[in-house]
Amino acid sequence: MNILVVNWTWYPSGGDFTYVENICRLYEQHGHQVIPFSMKDDRNTPTAYDEYFIENIDYKKVKRSFVSGLQVVMKSIYSFEAQRNLERLLSVVKIDMAHINVIHHYITPTILKILKEKNIPIIWTFHEYTPLCPDSTFISQGLVCEKCYGGAFYNCITHTCKKGSVLASAVAALENYVHSYLNYYAYVDHYVCTSVFMYEKFKSFNFCKDKLVQLYHGYDYTEIETARLTPRTEQKYIVFVGRLEKIKGAHTVLKAMLSHPEIQLKIIGDGTQEEELKAFKIQHHLHQVSFLGKKSKQETLQIVNGAEFLVCASEWYEVLGFTVVEAMALSKPVIGSAIGAIPEMVIDNHTGLLFEPGNAEQLAEKIKLLYENEDQILEMGKNAQLHINQLINNEKHYRGLQKLIPWL
């Protein structure tokens, strides 16, 4: 089979592309050919099909001039270019199935109409909540928000949910209204929700309920086994890996570390909060905290492998963080916030410990409890590896996809 895999990037850009890379390898291992469709970018993995990719959408143009900004806004809502380029691709390559990933704001759901007209089966794996929430995260002004329930997307504007900007929020709300009105979502055969939490959330919002399927991601653990071979240093530390944005909770982790000057914390990642977090570190003399910046996949795995445990302090409806998956696969317990899909991986007092999202005092207690108990770290680490290997694995994932598309 020729399988069209669609994603807004074709380079490592986060958890969505981690999944895309994995599913492409999985399809190829089963004898299928992957045909990518994405946006042009100098960072893209080379492919013979990049001539069909759409031009990169530069949101910085929105601030430069009204005309160029309007063009960007229109393309982010309804992409005629994506439709034209996809039609060109379909004219030269027979596609047997389409696997959609992240397309909102860039490629846009307008391509679904083209695929449907060609009678191509469509699977869409969700990596965020855009059809339900214009901001994609269910976060407004730093807090969890579900005010757009029932299609009341105007709340995104009145609460300036998107980057605190009325304009950005209006564009995001308009996008959701347009796609809901056009109802291109009806063209999809199956929507894959990556966790029970996500499945229940889409179901509770009455989104294509008869097409929703819960199926955990697959994962290729080859790199994990390579990282295990890295010799551990004598230094004892804990680790946080993630974007330095409020929804990821790094600020809560730093507040928790105020109680633990004796515990070394390594922070991997970058983001808009980086300078603010570094200023907090200096102001409060957190000499035990090290900001390592963004690291390669293998470097990150090696650092996590040397840690006692990982802290995942997310404060949004986390979909299914590969950071947690990878840490647990390395036999590391995880102290995670009890939100989104995290409790499906972090089983309290079995594979790690849970705490209330944003509660720095409670997190500090959990860190102390686990850090001082080496036997518990080892036992929970073994449980973590066993649990995640059973929950997230390629064989199980592929069997699930075969149930949706029997001829895979």
Side-chain angles (χ1 to χ4, degrees):
M1 287 176 58
N2 288 335
I3 302 176
L4 184 76
V5 177
V6 187
N7 195 57
W8 73 290
T9 68
W10 210 251
Y11 64 86
S13 53
D16 58 305
F17 194 74
T18 298
Y19 173 78
V20 167
E21 278 189 308
N22 187 72
I23 197 62
C24 287
R25 283 195 298 265
L26 195 54
Y27 283 143
E28 289 167 350
Q29 287 167 5
H30 284 81
H32 306 298
Q33 182 178 1
V34 171
I35 314 297
F37 189 69
S38 185
M39 281 200 308
K40 293 180 180 178
D41 196 290
D42 292 339
R43 295 166 288 184
N44 281 348
T45 301
T47 169
Y49 299 95
D50 58 6
E51 65 176 288
Y52 302 102
F53 287 12
I54 69 170
E55 292 298 324
N56 199 297
I57 295 180
D58 184 3
Y59 279 99
K60 293 179 182 178
K61 289 182 179 179
V62 175
K63 298 180 180 179
R64 293 175 192 164
S65 73
F66 176 78
V67 175
S68 61
L70 184 61
Q71 291 174 338
V72 168
V73 167
M74 294 307 294
K75 284 179 66 176
S76 70
I77 295 175
Y78 195 106
S79 178
F80 288 102
E81 181 192 7
Q83 287 185 323
R84 289 193 303 269
N85 288 14
L86 180 57
E87 285 183 320
R88 286 199 301 119
L89 175 60
L90 295 179
S91 71
V92 297
V93 181
K94 181 184 181 298
I95 297 297
D96 300 294
M97 180 191 115
H99 192 151
I100 311 296
N101 291 277
V102 179
I103 60 172
H104 285 101
H105 319 313
Y106 299 96
I107 297 171
T108 78
T110 56
I111 64 169
L112 301 175
K113 181 174 182 288
I114 306 300
L115 295 169
K116 186 65 175 180
E117 289 172 348
K118 302 289 185 181
N119 294 315
I120 297 172
I122 307 169
I123 291 176
W124 188 338
T125 295
F126 280 139
H127 300 272
E128 22 84 297
Y129 303 95
T130 304
L132 313 181
C133 166
D135 187 53
S136 307
T137 61
F138 280 119
I139 292 292
S140 177
Q141 306 299 322
L143 300 173
V144 171
C145 167
E146 296 188 8
K147 289 186 173 65
C148 286
Y149 180 86
F153 303 126
Y154 63 84
N155 282 292
C156 180
I157 306 172
T158 58
H159 293 80
T160 59
C161 300
K162 196 78 173 178
K163 301 179 180 179
S165 162
V166 173
L167 177 59
S169 300
V171 171
L174 177 61
E175 179 183 357
N176 274 40
Y177 277 121
V178 168
H179 294 148
S180 295
Y181 175 75
L182 295 175
N183 197 29
Y184 286 171
Y185 294 125
Y187 297 153
V188 176
D189 294 281
H190 302 286
Y191 288 99
V192 177
C193 298
T194 59
S195 66
V196 173
F197 178 89
M198 173 180 266
Y199 173 81
E200 294 296 341
K201 188 58 64 180
F202 272 90
K203 188 177 177 181
S204 70
F205 272 64
N206 298 309
F207 181 88
C208 300
K209 293 170 72 171
D210 59 330
K211 297 182 177 183
L212 294 174
V213 177
Q214 195 281 308
L215 180 63
Y216 287 112
H217 283 326
Y219 191 85
D220 183 351
Y221 290 102
T222 303
E223 289 182 288
I224 296 294
E225 296 310 312
T226 300
R228 282 184 183 280
L229 301 177
T230 306
R232 294 188 61 178
T233 64
E234 294 184 3
Q235 184 186 23
K236 189 176 179 181
Y237 61 90
I238 63 176
V239 66
F240 170 94
V241 180
R243 288 183 290 113
L244 302 185
E245 312 288 348
K246 188 177 187 305
I247 64 171
K248 291 296 186 177
H251 58 290
T252 299
V253 179
L254 285 190
K255 289 177 183 177
M257 294 305 294
L258 292 172
S259 304
H260 300 299
E262 78 287 0
I263 299 177
Q264 298 291 318
L265 167 68
K266 294 187 178 184
I267 296 178
I268 300 174
D270 57 12
T272 60
Q273 270 203 320
E274 185 171 355
E275 295 307 315
E276 179 185 336
L277 293 169
K278 287 180 176 178
F280 184 92
K281 168 192 169 176
I282 294 171
Q283 180 184 355
H284 295 278
H285 309 291
L286 294 174
H287 304 298
Q288 79 277 30
V289 176
S290 303
F291 286 87
L292 305 184
K294 194 171 183 178
K295 295 290 184 182
S296 69
K297 174 73 170 293
Q298 197 54 229
E299 287 177 315
T300 299
L301 292 176
Q302 290 171 359
I303 294 169
V304 173
N305 186 56
E308 299 300 303
F309 54 82
L310 176 95
V311 178
C312 176
S314 290
E315 296 176 12
W316 74 296
Y317 291 156
E318 190 74 59
V319 178
L320 190 81
F322 279 111
T323 296
V324 174
V325 172
E326 289 160 354
M328 294 176 71
L330 286 166
S331 302
K332 302 300 171 185
V334 175
I335 298 182
S337 46
I339 193 169
I342 295 174
E344 295 173 46
M345 298 180 286
V346 182
I347 311 302
D348 199 28
N349 290 309
H350 183 66
T351 67
L353 301 172
L354 292 172
F355 72 99
E356 180 186 355
N359 190 330
E361 183 177 337
Q362 192 178 94
L363 174 57
E365 292 173 358
K366 302 286 183 176
I367 289 174
K368 177 180 174 62
L369 180 66
L370 190 55
Y371 189 81
E372 294 180 349
N373 193 329
E374 291 187 11
D375 290 340
Q376 192 174 37
I377 289 174
L378 290 173
E379 182 182 355
M380 285 187 176
K382 291 177 182 177
N383 295 339
Q385 183 188 9
L386 181 62
H387 175 65
I388 211 65
N389 286 344
Q390 291 176 340
L391 195 71
I392 313 292
N393 70 75
N394 276 343
E395 183 181 348
K396 185 177 176 181
H397 186 67
Y398 195 77
R399 286 202 308 269
L401 292 176
Q402 284 181 311
K403 291 179 180 178
L404 306 180
I405 308 293
W407 56 89
L408 261 179

